[in-house]
Amino acid sequence: MIHREILGDGSIRLAKDGCSFVFRRLRPGAVLVTIAGRDTGGLGDAPLDELQAEIARYPPIELYVDARDATFAAERVSDAWTRFFSANRDRLRRVRILVGTPFVQLVVDVAKLFSRTGELIQIESDARRFEEAVASAAPAPARAPSQPGLPRAAEQPARIAEPAVAPGAAPAGVAGATASAAIRREVLADGAVQLANDRCSYTFRRLRPGVMLIAIAGHDGGELGELPLDEIRKEIARFGPAALFVDVRAVTVAAPSVSDAWTAFFAANRATISRVRILVGSKLLQLVVALSKEASRTGDMIQIDDDPERFQAALAREAAPERPAPRGPSRP
């Protein structure tokens, strides 16, 4: 259930499943949106509907988005914002977005690129500069005509709205943390090993000694910790340099901590991994993997693939049993 409430200063707050949006009118035609927590798409179009209503009242608007406390944004969330920016480019005067993590910056970069809005969107990592821009957008002129919807900020100094946390609720960014208490490891009927919690699963299949297929699915918030990488380390310890085929088509979210862990793993094991081939299913995941590849400084060890047939063909070639070397004549 989506919770919508009007706060003491008149701001509107939407919240669900560990994610919140706070909307505050700085002046007619200028809106500050503060986002916190994991945005997996549970709020649907409700946040964008609030903005559409403001655009209808005071077009074109200036939009300031404080996303420094946002920890996740699912692909469908990025897609929705991309469509919103693209459809409203003529009714947005400017958009300024403050990011706090490389992952969120990457999500915003993707939305900016595919919205084809040129320099309409400015991405900011300097909180002080962002807050100065917000303050300059909220002078104290005469009152605007009273209208339903977002509050006026004419009588108040501009400030960044702090995300509220309901009593007893998990803080932003901790939603779903209890999922780590239910990690399961099981051996499947075909001998594959599966690690899973309620949101994410890793399935490891040995195609032959030294060649492993890893299929990842779901929302990987990092609750599995190092366990998936430990499975690969055990394979390397048994059979030496390994070839890894990783299918991430079914991944919906990968936390920054997950990307960082894989980056560090690739960098530390470049001598014990012969090759890595990763099959992606979305542009967002492709960019996340590309960022990890670049940061690991492993050259051409990692290959990113978006063609399932090509990936399967490479997998089949690698899984074929090695032919024994021809023997020479026996010696007495």
Side-chain angles (χ1 to χ4, degrees):
M1 178 179 178
I2 297 174
H3 300 279
R4 186 182 189 275
E5 59 180 321
I6 299 178
L7 305 181
D9 66 352
S11 299
I12 292 173
R13 182 174 184 267
L14 299 175
K16 183 181 180 182
D17 298 336
C19 177
S20 68
F21 281 68
V22 177
F23 301 84
R24 183 164 174 265
R25 182 183 298 150
L26 304 172
R27 58 173 169 76
V31 179
L32 170 65
V33 184
T34 303
I35 309 173
R38 303 169 180 265
D39 190 355
T40 58
L43 289 168
D45 289 330
L48 299 180
D49 287 344
E50 296 289 340
L51 294 178
Q52 292 284 14
E54 188 70 1
I55 288 173
R57 294 183 188 108
Y58 301 112
I61 70 168
E62 297 175 14
L63 180 58
Y64 298 85
V65 183
D66 183 349
R68 68 185 124 178
D69 291 326
T71 54
F72 299 105
E75 184 181 354
R76 59 177 169 165
V77 174
S78 174
D79 289 345
W81 279 93
T82 299
R83 291 191 298 270
F84 171 80
F85 289 138
S86 182
N88 292 280
R89 70 183 77 185
D90 295 331
R91 295 185 290 174
L92 294 169
R93 190 184 302 276
R94 67 180 60 90
V95 179
R96 194 159 186 161
I97 304 176
L98 175 65
V99 297
T101 68
F103 178 78
V104 173
Q105 180 164 350
L106 185 64
V107 171
V108 177
D109 281 334
V110 171
K112 176 179 178 179
L113 175 65
F114 289 101
S115 67
R116 303 184 186 280
T117 48
E119 296 306 315
L120 172 73
I121 302 170
Q122 182 177 346
I123 304 171
E124 184 75 75
S125 60
D126 185 323
R128 176 173 295 181
R129 191 161 56 213
F130 177 84
E131 290 173 359
E132 288 173 352
V134 170
S136 69
R143 284 176 181 263
S146 177
Q147 293 201 35
L150 298 178
R152 291 188 302 269
E155 297 105 4
Q156 304 175 30
R159 65 182 179 84
I160 305 296
E162 294 296 329
V165 179
V174 185
T178 54
S180 60
I183 296 174
R184 303 176 295 277
R185 184 185 189 277
E186 58 181 319
V187 179
L188 306 182
D190 64 354
V193 171
Q194 185 174 80
L195 295 173
N197 63 7
D198 292 338
R199 300 195 299 174
C200 176
S201 68
Y202 281 68
T203 304
F204 303 85
R205 285 186 172 85
R206 182 185 300 148
L207 305 178
R208 63 175 173 82
V211 179
M212 178 177 278
L213 170 63
I214 305 163
I216 311 174
H219 180 125
D220 191 353
E223 295 90 353
L224 294 175
E226 290 282 315
L227 292 177
L229 300 178
D230 286 343
E231 294 292 333
I232 303 173
R233 291 184 182 107
K234 287 188 285 188
E235 188 74 4
I236 292 172
R238 291 189 190 105
F239 301 109
L244 304 178
F245 290 79
V246 188
D247 185 346
V248 298
R249 285 175 294 176
V251 173
T252 55
V253 173
S257 61
V258 175
S259 176
D260 290 347
W262 278 91
T263 300
F265 173 77
F266 288 141
N269 290 277
R270 68 185 74 185
T272 54
I273 296 177
S274 59
R275 68 188 65 84
V276 180
R277 191 156 189 157
I278 303 176
L279 177 62
V280 298
S282 71
K283 294 181 178 67
L284 178 59
L285 260 297
Q286 185 169 352
L287 285 169
V288 170
V289 174
L291 188 64
S292 179
K293 173 181 177 178
E294 180 67 23
S296 68
R297 302 183 183 278
T298 49
D300 293 326
M301 181 182 85
I302 301 171
Q303 182 174 349
I304 304 170
D305 209 335
D306 61 359
D307 185 331
E309 290 185 4
R310 189 166 56 219
F311 180 85
Q312 291 295 336
L315 190 64
R317 288 194 300 270
E318 196 70 40
E322 294 182 329
R323 294 181 179 178
R327 288 189 167 188
S330 59
R331 294 183 179 181

